Each structure stands twice: as structure tokens, then as C-alpha cells.
Amino acid sequence: MIRLIGKGFRTFSNWMSTYENLVAVYAVLGIIVAICGIIMVPLITYHEDQIYSKSINRDSPLDPYDRGGVPFTKVDIEAQYPENSPAAGYVTTYLTPFSWFIANNTPFLGTTIVAHPGGILDEILYNTRGLDTIVETSILFAAFAIASFLFRRKE
Amino acid sequence: MFNLPIEGEELFVLEFGDIVNYFSLYTTTLFLFATAFIIIAIIARPERQTDIIFGTDAVYTKEVSPDNLRFQRFMAIACGLATLGAVCSGDLFNFCLFTALIGITNIGIVAGVNNRYVLNAAYNYGIVAMVATTFLFGGAATALGSCGTLSIWELAGLGMVPLAAKMFLVLGVMGEGMAPFYIAKAEITRAPGAPYVLMIHVSSLLIFLRVIEIILTV
């Protein structure tokens, strides 16, 4: 009996020590956690007093990025720590002439945020949470550095 | 937050708008540890692996080309800086971003090795790291959707973050911090360019310690 358990354990440890199998192990763990997560969805409570709340105007051509407000005046933006962002609310939205043209003629500007530079600056993302955007671009930079190194390597 | 048992006393606060990084006794210890290993990566020379043919006098020494050396050192330092960011971040989403950056730079460190066997291990790790980002950012998104904030300062001690979000975060960090398993198996610690590989181990260890602190705090 003990010999059988030992043999089973050796087979298992041999299987585990092959690194190609670690992806499968992680996938099984992921499936278990995802199922647990889905089961726990009814237990997740929604807290009403949220910051970063926004009202969406579905009829606007800028949907869902329409933040309202008048250009060149201060707009009320909720920030977690308003004392750290004294300029919050001044840079609300900025449209290039091309973006303005798309917004006025089609209902699709909201889907083209990445298609043209300088289209829309999101106040929350770029003013109060600026470090996020810096780290995101660092990730892209690291990924491009690796890709170009592998591409240019002589072998 | 600083009256919770795990943190220790508050030492320094660094503000970036809504993202307020903090240094408690705990995170400062991790920060100094990572700094020490960045300095090691900067000043260390790569190890030249020596193979001895058994039964004869022949000895081979493998050279590390300057290109590979430069790239691996750059990636090791980038990985160290990402670790510094991850250990002192005061924001759940920011922590996830830095952890994803650690995963990418870990692949970069290994990519500098000219060895099919090692690159194969790096490819397998890359798959896990990619899948892990789903859980990582899913955890942060669940926390944001439920609590309406990502700031650890606001969430500390309230227990508002749902258990599912914490599970996702831990699983995501597990996937990103899985690199040492592949490294140990591919025997890259003895491969050319060895000192930079230390950074993979250090960063995995530190993000595990940090995620434990986060889920005990929020």
C-alpha cells in the first residue's frame, strides 16, 4: 500500500517537474477560481457612495465619453484626493478638428478613441490618475524592446 | 491603515494625484531589498559558464556577447524598477500594472539567452503570464466595481473588497510570479548571464509578499 502511494507520488512529482505541464496546472487553478468567482457574484455588494461615478448620455455623438461641461471653464470632477489635483476640472475634453468632424457627422467617435491621437483626453485618467498612464506606456515600451531585440538578433 | 498589525508605522507618503504611494515599515523593507538587488544587477559581471567534458581534460567556457549582456542588464534593471513600484504602490490598479510589467520584463531577461531549451521555458512562462493578467486586472476591476475606489488608503481595514476580487488578485500574482519554477527547471541559474536571473526570483518573492499585505489590509 505504502509502495503504491510512493509510486503514485513519484509519477505525480515527475509529471509536475516537467515545465510544459505547469500551464495545465495553472489552467486548472484558474478554472476553479473562475467558477468560485462566478458562484460568488450574488455575494458581491455594490456600494452606493462611489467616486468616479458618471452619467452617460446615450444620445450624444461622443457617447460614452461625453462628460458634459462648457469649454474653458472649470467642471466639477470628483477626485479621491482633491487636494492633490488642484488643476482638476480645467482640462475636461479636447477634440481635434478631425475628431470634431467625426463627432458631428457620425455616431461612432466613442469607438475610435485609439484611432487618432489627441482625440479625447479623459480627465480622470490623465489628471488625477496620471501614474497609471505612465506605467501602461512603460509596459508597452518593455514589450517593444523585447520584440525588437528578438527580431534583430543574429542567429 | 497604519494601526493594522501588518503595516508597522508610517514613514513617507508620495502623492501622484489620486494615486498615493506609501512607505510603511513593511513596504520600506521590501523596497530596500529590491534596491539592493538593482545595485547588484548594475555592478555585477555576468558569469561565464564552464563545461567540463567528463573523463578528459577538455574545458569549454561560454562567452556572453556584449549585445545580450546589455539587453539582459537593461531588462533586469527595468524589472527591479517595476518591483520598486509594485512594493510601494498605494493603489490596487497601479499594483496590477506594475505586476504585469514585472511579468513582461521577466520574459525579457530570459529572452537574452541563446539557448533553445531556455527560450522554450520562457515561451511557456509567457503563456501563463498572459493568462494571469486576466485574473489580475479582473480582481482590480471587481474591487473597483464593488467599492468604487481603488485606493488602499480608503479600503484599509473596512473589508469592503469582495472575496472573489482577492482570489483573483492572488491567482493573478501567482501566474506572474511563477517564473522561478520555469527558471529552476531550465537550469538558467547556471546558464550564461546568471546574475540577472536573480532579479526574477527577487521580484517574484517581493510581489508575493506585497499581495499578501494588500489582501490582509483591504
Side-chain angles (χ1 to χ4, degrees):
Chain A
M1 182 66 190
I2 290 175
R3 182 172 291 178
L4 207 67
I5 293 172
K7 191 164 179 284
F9 188 77
R10 270 201 306 278
T11 317
F12 176 72
S13 80
N14 185 33
W15 186 81
M16 277 289 283
S17 68
T18 320
Y19 62 75
E20 283 90 349
N21 295 333
L22 285 176
V23 179
V25 173
Y26 188 76
V28 169
L29 274 177
I31 290 168
I32 293 169
V33 170
I35 290 172
C36 290
I38 291 169
I39 292 170
M40 275 188 240
V41 165
L43 300 178
I44 295 174
T45 45
Y46 178 76
H47 298 269
E48 292 289 335
D49 51 339
Q50 305 224 11
I51 73 158
Y52 304 144
S53 59
K54 65 176 178 184
S55 54
I56 296 180
N57 177 12
R58 285 291 177 207
D59 299 327
S60 163
L62 302 179
D63 174 47
Y65 298 103
D66 191 2
R67 301 261 168 191
V70 183
F72 307 117
T73 55
K74 193 171 187 292
V75 178
D76 283 331
I77 298 277
E78 283 187 57
Q80 186 93 60
Y81 305 104
E83 67 277 10
N84 293 343
S85 316
Y90 285 107
V91 188
T92 50
T93 52
Y94 163 71
L95 299 181
T96 57
F98 180 59
S99 312
W100 186 237
F101 174 78
I102 297 177
N104 285 332
N105 289 289
T106 72
F108 305 119
L109 184 74
T111 62
T112 57
I113 186 165
V114 291
H116 53 284
I120 299 172
L121 290 179
D122 190 304
E123 171 75 19
I124 287 172
L125 196 56
Y126 286 80
N127 197 326
T128 60
R129 297 186 60 87
L131 191 60
D132 280 350
T133 52
I134 294 171
V135 184
E136 280 159 11
T137 42
S138 323
I139 294 174
L140 271 181
F141 172 67
F144 280 129
I146 295 167
S148 55
F149 174 79
L150 290 178
F151 183 72
R152 295 186 59 219
R153 185 156 73 178
K154 294 183 219 67
E155 198 149 29
Chain B
M1 176 164 69
F2 295 102
N3 49 20
L4 296 171
I6 192 165
E7 287 291 350
E9 52 189 291
E10 175 181 349
L11 298 175
F12 180 62
V13 171
L14 189 62
E15 295 159 352
F16 291 103
D18 276 3
I19 297 165
V20 181
N21 295 339
Y22 61 87
F23 291 82
S24 64
L25 209 56
Y26 184 85
T27 57
T28 308
T29 315
L30 304 184
F31 190 89
L32 292 178
F33 191 69
T35 316
F37 275 88
I38 291 180
I39 294 169
I40 289 175
I42 291 172
I43 62 176
R45 310 307 302 163
E47 185 182 315
R48 286 188 291 184
Q49 189 182 16
T50 306
D51 283 346
I52 301 172
I53 313 289
F54 196 74
T56 64
D57 298 347
V59 173
Y60 292 113
T61 303
K62 290 183 180 166
E63 291 287 331
V64 182
S65 74
D67 277 354
N68 285 358
L69 165 71
R70 225 174 283 135
F71 181 73
Q72 276 194 313
R73 188 168 52 198
F74 168 70
M75 278 298 159
I77 294 168
C79 184
L81 294 179
T83 314
L84 290 187
V87 296
C88 68
S89 174
D91 186 272
L92 282 181
F93 181 65
N94 221 264
F95 170 75
C96 292
L97 282 176
F98 276 118
T99 309
L101 183 53
I102 288 172
I104 298 250
T105 46
N106 279 350
I107 298 170
I109 294 171
V110 181
V113 179
N114 277 323
N115 186 336
R116 181 173 293 275
Y117 178 31
V118 172
L119 288 177
N120 197 17
Y123 172 74
N124 274 284
Y125 168 66
I127 293 174
V128 174
M130 268 194 296
V131 174
T133 51
T134 317
F135 291 104
L136 203 58
F137 290 105
T142 314
L144 175 65
S146 163
C147 313
T149 177
L150 286 161
S151 174
I152 295 172
W153 292 83
E154 303 291 319
L155 296 170
L158 294 180
M160 262 164 48
V161 176
L163 185 63
K166 291 181 182 176
M167 280 165 59
F168 282 173
L169 268 181
V170 171
L171 192 71
V173 171
M174 268 174 68
E176 299 285 351
M178 219 171 178
F181 287 97
Y182 291 98
I183 303 305
K185 202 51 205 166
E187 294 193 336
I188 195 184
T189 3
R190 281 168 27 206
Y196 306 120
V197 174
L198 270 180
M199 196 53 91
I200 297 176
H201 296 264
V202 171
S203 62
S204 309
L205 172 70
L206 292 183
I207 56 171
F208 273 117
L209 290 173
R210 183 66 217 272
V211 79
I212 289 165
E213 184 245 307
I214 287 178
I215 59 170
L216 289 180
T217 305
V218 299

